[in-house]
Amino acid sequence: MRVTSEEQRLRLRVTALVWEAEGVLSAHLRRSDGGDLPPWTPGAHLDLHLPGGPVRQYSLSGSPADRTTWRVSVLRESASRGGSRAVHESLRPGDVVDVTGPRNTFALVDSPESEYLFIAGGIGITPIMPMIEEVATSGARWSLLYGGRSRSSMAFLPDLARYGDRVTVRPQDEYGLLDLDAFLGPPRQNASVYSCGPEQLLAAVEQRCVAWPPGTLHLERFAAHPTPTAAEEEAFELVLRRTGRSFTVKPGSTILEVLEENGIEPPNSCREGICGTCETKVVEGIPDHRDSLLTQEERDENDTMMICVGRARCRRLVLDL
């Protein structure tokens, strides 16, 4: 299961709000008593319980070595569903917020012989920042290709400047789309590619890494892949191994929705298949994986699934619930 430590629900104080770029605001979170926060690893994120009720997932963009402060950096979205609007318009220094985590669905694989290739688009730089700190400290080979609409909209440019020519900054209004072919080069062994950003960028990175060795590419998405419509789905039987209860999951419904309708409330958060909170062990049957977390190798193993979006490719699916 994808966790960096035992998840906790904490009440933390907003100690500072810092503008990192045009439209990008960082919230610094600390314990009220000044004590240490739980450890975390690069790629981890938090569930932030915001004023007004929304719960949103934000990557930790600070340093794992700093046990006193957690930093999350949030883009002001024009089509906000309430999360970014709450951070930008309602959150204030001194506020106390509930936080769940940390949880890591985008972990940096420790590979001393590997060359790390980072590709970030816009706010996708947030989980990449602590990764860069770790590999730079370890002495590993690495480079970053970082794109955005304009320099003014790209966060952390002053922090990245100290890494010199390892970092390639390419604002779209100056250079156009990122030249992924030039940055990645031909497929090769002992390389790890990490990318986070808008779907158009991630799809392009995926396309270019098809011929690379399995396990090379690691992605984090902000939104789930499009899913089939109810007209393309069939009903199936859902069985809970621990209780023996069974339910019919009809077209247009998710496993999580059916469980909740019957008074069962498994842990969940994003409900889009991007945070990993609802990852559940599969006992029998073939899941219809619709999340944006599992690698193709993990999907083929069919050991776990994200029940907030997943369904079944069989008539009977048994879960460890």
Side-chain angles (χ1 to χ4, degrees), residues 45-46 160 176 188 202 220 224 269 276:
H45 68 264
L46 304 174
L160 292 168
R188 56 191 181 276
L202 299 187
E220 181 163 72
S269 182

Side-chain angles (χ1 to χ4, degrees), residues 97-118:
V97 294
D98 286 344
V99 171
T100 306
R103 185 184 311 115
N104 203 333
T105 60
F106 189 42
L108 182 68
V109 178
D110 184 14
S111 181
E113 302 301 321
S114 181
E115 175 187 9
Y116 293 91
L117 303 173
F118 299 108

